[in-house]
Amino acid sequence: QVQLVESGGGLVQAAGSLRLSCEARGSIFSINSMGWYRQAPGKQRELVADIASGRTHYADSVQGRFTISRDNAKNSVYLQMNSLKPEDTALYYCNAKVVSLKGFSGDYWGQGTQVTVSS
C-alpha cells in the first residue's frame, strides 16, 4: 500500500509564490519518477512537471517559473511555483510511479491540493 500526501496549496495573489510538497509513504522499494499534474475546472488533467533520474520536464506554460525537485531519501517531491498567474489556478495532484516491496509497479496519485491565484 502506497499513499501520496500533499501539502502547500493555498490562495496567493498574482506574481506571488507557493511551494507544494508531496511525500510517498508505505511499502516502497523504489520510485521511478515523481511529478505534478493539475486540473482546472472544465479542463483535462495536464502534466505540470516531472522528474526522473535527475532529469526534469516542464510544461511550456510553466517553464522558467516553476521548479521541480526531489529528495530521494524522503521519498518526496516539491514544486516551487514563482510568478504565479491566475491561469495557474487548479487542483494540483502529485504522481509517483512506484515499485513496491513485493515487486509490483504502480501509478499512484495524491488527493490533490488547491492552488488559487487571484488577479
Side-chain angles (χ1 to χ4, degrees), residues 8 11-19 65 79-84:
L11 173 64
V12 65
Q13 289 187 333
S17 298
L18 283 174
R19 186 174 187 253
R65 299 188 297 121
L79 186 67
Q80 178 65 44
M81 304 184 293
N82 299 329
S83 303
L84 282 160

Side-chain angles (χ1 to χ4, degrees), residues 16-86:
S17 298
L18 283 174
R19 186 174 187 253
L20 305 183
S21 300
C22 172
E23 180 186 2
R25 301 174 180 174
S27 302
I28 298 169
F29 175 73
S30 64
I31 302 177
N32 294 328
S33 68
M34 299 187 81
W36 292 94
Y37 289 70
R38 67 186 181 187
Q39 187 168 17
K43 295 187 177 181
Q44 289 188 333
R45 189 175 297 189
E46 63 175 357
L47 174 67
V48 176
D50 62 17
I51 181 169
S53 301
R55 294 185 178 182
T56 58
H57 171 259
Y58 296 93
D60 289 344
S61 59
V62 306
Q63 183 76 45
R65 299 188 297 121
F66 291 10
T67 302
I68 190 170
S69 60
R70 185 171 160 181
D71 186 334
N72 292 328
K74 296 182 179 180
N75 288 333
S76 294
V77 65
Y78 310 96
L79 186 67
Q80 178 65 44
M81 304 184 293
N82 299 329
S83 303
L84 282 160
K85 304 175 181 179

Side-chain angles (χ1 to χ4, degrees), residues 67-119:
T67 302
I68 190 170
S69 60
R70 185 171 160 181
D71 186 334
N72 292 328
K74 296 182 179 180
N75 288 333
S76 294
V77 65
Y78 310 96
L79 186 67
Q80 178 65 44
M81 304 184 293
N82 299 329
S83 303
L84 282 160
K85 304 175 181 179
E87 50 264 43
D88 294 317
T89 295
L91 193 58
Y92 283 70
Y93 294 92
C94 177
N95 172 267
K97 293 173 173 53
V98 176
V99 179
S100 71
L101 293 174
K102 294 185 176 181
F104 297 114
S105 296
D107 204 9
Y108 295 90
W109 295 89
Q111 77 282 2
T113 185
Q114 179 67 39
V115 171
T116 302
V117 185
S118 62
S119 57

